Amino acid sequence: AFGTLMTGQLVMIGTTSTSPVYLHDHGHQVGTIGLAVAMHLGGMYVASPLSGWLADRFGRGAMIAVGAIVLLLSLGLAGFAPGSDSALIMTALFVNGVGWNLAFVAGSAHAQRTEIYKCLDASGRPSYTNDKRETVGRKCELVTTQINVAWDLLSGKRAAG
């Protein structure tokens, strides 16, 4: 589940972050670039209710696989789209967003059933008390430490490096 979330995020970010530069380098105006990013964001979130229903209906694993296939299709579409064809690139970005959503919603739902989530209390904060078993306790300690370090870095309480 976590591999799915990380891989989907990597593919989505890689495609999304390079597309505006690609469009700009091929002479497209800022309005066109903004519309392309908006199409991608729309694809990311408009599919959420459908993605959740499909994951419940056909299974999380199946929808993770479908999401991966859709992401691969979007990469192929974006990779072979000529730089002059902004409509095709926008379509690829929209499909990329939908693929990310399918994989991310199903992966998140699947991850909620894993032992890592036993490390979090009902509010989603790290907790050592949810499970006393030694193996899960070690995982909780690792996850809690990572969450706390990330929070400290983001809030400026700790310097990177």
Side-chain angles (χ1 to χ4, degrees):
F2 289 106
T4 297
L5 296 173
M6 290 185 293
T7 303
Q9 200 72 357
L10 179 67
V11 171
M12 185 271 302
I13 289 171
T15 308
T16 307
S17 61
T18 57
S19 295
V21 175
Y22 182 73
L23 288 168
H24 181 267
D25 287 349
H26 283 86
H28 295 282
Q29 300 298 314
V30 174
T32 302
I33 296 168
L35 183 59
V37 172
M39 291 291 293
H40 171 69
L41 292 173
M44 285 177 66
Y45 297 107
V46 76
S48 292
L50 179 63
S51 296
W53 180 80
L54 289 170
D56 287 342
R57 174 95 167 105
F58 298 107
R60 292 164 176 87
M63 294 320 301
I64 288 170
V66 169
I69 291 167
V70 172
L71 279 170
L72 288 172
L73 289 173
S74 74
L75 287 175
L77 185 61
F80 291 110
S84 60
D85 193 347
S86 61
L88 190 56
I89 294 169
M90 285 184 211
T91 301
L93 287 173
F94 180 80
V95 171
N96 180 276
V98 171
W100 172 86
N101 185 281
L102 288 166
F104 203 81
V105 167
S108 297
H110 184 68
Q112 288 181 341
R113 296 176 182 248
T114 64
E115 287 190 352
I116 293 298
Y117 275 85
K118 293 179 184 176
C119 300
L120 306 176
D121 64 17
S123 68
R125 296 174 188 234
S127 170
Y128 293 104
T129 60
N130 284 346
D131 196 324
K132 300 287 186 196
R133 290 182 292 160
E134 187 176 334
T135 306
V136 174
R138 286 189 184 137
K139 288 180 184 177
C140 289
E141 185 176 344
L142 175 64
V143 169
T144 303
T145 301
Q146 290 172 344
I147 291 170
N148 288 337
V149 168
W151 179 255
D152 287 350
L153 288 172
L154 290 172
S155 65
K157 292 181 182 176
R158 181 182 299 200

